[in-house]
Amino acid sequence: MDASPAGRALQEEAEPHPDGKLTRERMLACALEIVDRDGVEKLSMRALARALGRDPMSLYRHADNKAALLDGIAETVLAQLTVDPTDPDWVAQLRAVAHRFRHLALTHPHVVPLLVTRPLATPLALRPRGTLRPLEDILALLTRAGFTGADALHIYRALFGFLHGHVLNELQEIVENPDETDDLLRLGLHRLPIKEFPHLRGLATTLATYDGTAELERGLDILLTGLTTTTPAT
């Protein structure tokens, strides 16, 4: 029996629901637990049904197929990304949103590929409503601040393009040999010919002391300063 916290949670989910009903929310919560524990590749309708103690066919009332299930997981996570569209300081609010998104990504690292790729697989109007809520709220925030709708959309795309790249970079395994004391060796950069990659090798210490929070703030400084300059509110 799996005694880990995730395993205990899945065992609890497998017990009969008090009213005997399987809800979409309960199904997606269990699916998210499986992905958090084992990764997306281990999720299947059969595995989910087994974790819930249900017949696999019962799941199709709430998700037509695995693709719909993956969309639902992305929606479940993005539902936790709160945006205050009434904040008078739009820059501060976007910074807060960026840090909340990073926190979600670090909490659910196996879900990050879904957050980045699932929207690309589905036309905008057909995406789960929950995945569109951050977009709608940020558009409301920015148009309230005086930006045109087109500029607000541009800012949203620039922000989340940056955030997606940032979290993917941060989640990479950057230390190859953690027991080495030399940064060049720790990162394996010694394998790169010095004549071909002098700048990259020269950044070994900077790369080895990567600080996700500081890196995010630096990127936001560059991004938001540029956006404020090039797309001023009316």
Side-chain angles (χ1 to χ4, degrees):
M1 180 176 292
D2 187 350
S4 68
R8 289 196 299 271
L10 287 177
Q11 289 158 17
E12 290 170 2
E13 281 289 346
E15 294 182 4
H17 197 265
D19 62 7
K21 293 181 180 179
L22 174 64
T23 64
R24 181 174 184 269
E25 291 74 19
R26 180 168 172 253
M27 180 187 74
L28 291 177
C30 186
L32 177 58
E33 289 173 356
I34 293 174
V35 171
D36 281 342
R37 187 188 64 177
D38 301 324
V40 175
E41 65 279 2
K42 295 296 184 181
L43 178 66
S44 67
M45 300 298 267
R46 185 172 297 279
L48 179 57
R50 186 165 54 249
L52 288 165
R54 300 281 178 160
D55 184 285
M57 295 306 296
S58 67
L59 305 186
Y60 289 95
R61 300 191 188 99
H62 304 288
D64 292 338
N65 46 43
K66 185 176 178 179
L69 190 61
L70 297 179
D71 284 339
I73 293 171
E75 182 179 24
T76 298
V77 173
L78 284 176
Q80 303 172 57
L81 183 62
T82 58
V83 181
D84 180 4
T86 66
D87 191 338
D89 188 341
W90 67 272
V91 172
Q93 183 59 209
L94 291 187
R95 283 186 183 276
V97 169
H99 282 280
R100 290 176 200 133
F101 184 85
R102 174 177 177 264
H103 175 74
L104 286 173
L106 297 182
T107 303
H108 305 285
H110 291 306
V111 181
V112 169
L114 299 181
L115 301 181
V116 175
T117 62
R118 290 306 303 171
L120 301 178
T122 310
L124 188 66
L126 298 181
R127 296 175 194 171
R129 299 288 176 85
T131 64
L132 297 176
R133 181 53 53 191
L135 168 57
E136 179 64 23
D137 287 344
I138 288 176
L139 293 178
L141 169 74
L142 294 172
T143 53
R144 183 186 291 266
F147 291 96
T148 66
D151 280 345
L153 182 60
H154 174 74
I155 292 172
Y156 170 86
R157 286 172 172 166
L159 175 65
F160 275 84
F162 163 69
L163 288 176
H164 290 163
H166 172 84
V167 297
L168 287 173
N169 280 332
E170 185 168 1
L171 289 171
Q172 289 185 78
E173 181 59 56
I174 64 170
V175 176
E176 180 181 346
N177 298 302
D179 294 333
E180 291 285 354
T181 56
D182 184 277
D183 292 330
L184 200 68
L185 297 176
R186 290 180 68 217
L187 299 179
L189 293 177
H190 61 287
R191 294 190 179 89
L192 300 179
I194 191 168
K195 291 184 179 180
E196 293 183 40
F197 300 95
H199 297 292
L200 190 56
R201 285 174 56 116
L203 287 170
T205 298
T206 301
L207 291 168
T209 56
Y210 179 89
D211 182 329
T213 300
E215 190 75 13
L216 179 65
E217 278 295 325
R218 177 59 176 151
L220 289 171
D221 286 341
I222 296 169
L223 176 67
L224 294 174
T225 298
L227 289 172
T228 303
T229 302
T230 59
T231 54
T234 56

